Amino acid sequence: MSNTPTRPRLSLREFEVLRAVISVRKTTAAAARLGISQPAVSRAIKHLEERLGKTLFNRESGRLVPTSDALALNEKLEPVFEMLAGIENETFVSQHSSKPLRLAAPPTISHRFLLGVMAAFIKAYPGQKVELEIGTSSDVRNHVAEGHADLGITDGLSKHAGLTLEPLRSAIAHAVLHRDHPLASKAFIEPEDFDGQDFVALTRRFPVRAILERMFAERGIRPNIVAESSTAVSVSELVHAGVGVSVLNPFPVARNHPETLVFLPFKPRISYLNAFILPATTPSTPIARKFIEFTRAFEIEDPYSTPA
């Protein structure tokens, strides 16, 4: 007979503590929510970490920030607590969320990528409503941070205390040219190639615009800016029409007009990151997490970027 002492099992109360701390980020606030003492909250988290052998929270600026292990565990617990809530209310939880999945994304990602993913997702999960808000990258960040959207997809993220980022695709800047343009036969494009060339620029709210202008100024290069636009789709359409050349993130516009447009690596390197953004102060909703997983598995025909 073994003399090894039996370790106490994980309890439902400890999982409640985990979910409360993830939600409010402080042991004192979690204790108040659950009607228990702050030391009891700390003991529950410590016991969970010891039994699971994982760090569940990191302390940053006086707040407890959940680790990926904590968020993964919380996601697994979601259906358990939904079922318990249904029993308490004498109702049953349906297979799909009764709440719509609220998405936010800028126009280029929405029109050239996300709508296709949404259509496939709705077919895969009939009965699940999806709402899409299209706006600038700044609008997308604000919608998610303020709780008006469950999930955003954008092409870069400055530091924002109210958001967490999960990479989707990474890429480097490419010059986009009409196939009949004299530069289209080159292996790659350098800033000097644009001197005196008709150029279609993104508006100044895009970071790449400032990067290119600084690069041109330092080298004494003067492209002839013939048009400006606030979306990569419209820029690529103008290049397709033969108006000029440009520099863009190839995802997802490189799939447009493959018979006409040529995308060549731009040097020096400019990096892009397309990413999911989620609220930092509340746990991810199960349906948002499911959409992230679905999007990652979605077939993306894009030779110019790679999974992040």
Side-chain angles (χ1 to χ4, degrees), residues 235-254:
V235 169
S236 66
E237 289 294 334
L238 288 169
V239 175
H240 167 67
V243 169
V245 299
S246 191
V247 175
L248 296 173
N249 178 353
F251 178 76
V253 295

Side-chain angles (χ1 to χ4, degrees), residues 174-177 189 194 198-202 212 235-236 239 244-248 264 266:
H174 279 61
V176 55
L177 310 97
I189 298 296
F194 289 141
D198 289 345
F199 194 89
V200 182
L202 288 166
L212 288 172
V235 169
S236 66
V239 175
V245 299
S246 191
V247 175
L248 296 173
L264 300 176
F266 181 75

Side-chain angles (χ1 to χ4, degrees), residues 173-177 181 183 189-204 208-213 215-216 221-229 234-236 238-239 242-249 266 270 272:
H174 279 61
V176 55
L177 310 97
H181 195 280
L183 295 174
I189 298 296
E190 297 176 286
E192 288 76 9
D193 293 319
F194 289 141
D195 194 27
Q197 294 287 341
D198 289 345
F199 194 89
V200 182
L202 288 166
T203 55
R204 283 186 167 83
V208 70
R209 175 69 180 269
I211 294 173
L212 288 172
E213 286 188 340
M215 198 178 292
F216 292 153
I221 297 164
R222 300 184 65 181
N224 179 33
I225 296 179
V226 296
E228 297 184 15
S229 181
S234 54
V235 169
S236 66
L238 288 169
V239 175
V243 169
V245 299
S246 191
V247 175
L248 296 173
N249 178 353
F266 181 75
I270 301 174
Y272 292 94

Side-chain angles (χ1 to χ4, degrees), residues 29-109:
R33 172 179 289 194
L34 297 172
I36 59 178
S37 68
Q38 186 272 338
V41 171
S42 298
R43 285 195 298 270
I45 296 300
K46 182 179 179 182
H47 180 235
L48 280 172
E49 291 182 327
E50 290 176 347
R51 287 286 283 113
L52 297 172
K54 299 179 183 294
T55 299
L56 299 177
F57 295 91
N58 294 315
R59 186 172 292 278
E60 295 181 12
S61 302
R63 298 176 66 84
L64 294 176
V65 179
T67 63
S68 59
D69 288 323
L71 293 175
L73 176 57
N74 185 58
E75 182 183 351
K76 291 181 180 179
L77 292 170
E78 190 68 35
V80 176
F81 282 89
E82 282 188 353
M83 181 182 66
L84 291 173
I87 293 172
E88 288 180 352
N89 298 325
E90 297 182 352
T91 59
F92 297 95
V93 178
S94 63
Q95 180 182 1
H96 303 296
S97 171
S98 59
K99 295 182 179 180
L101 168 62
R102 301 171 303 165
L103 301 174
T108 295
I109 293 175

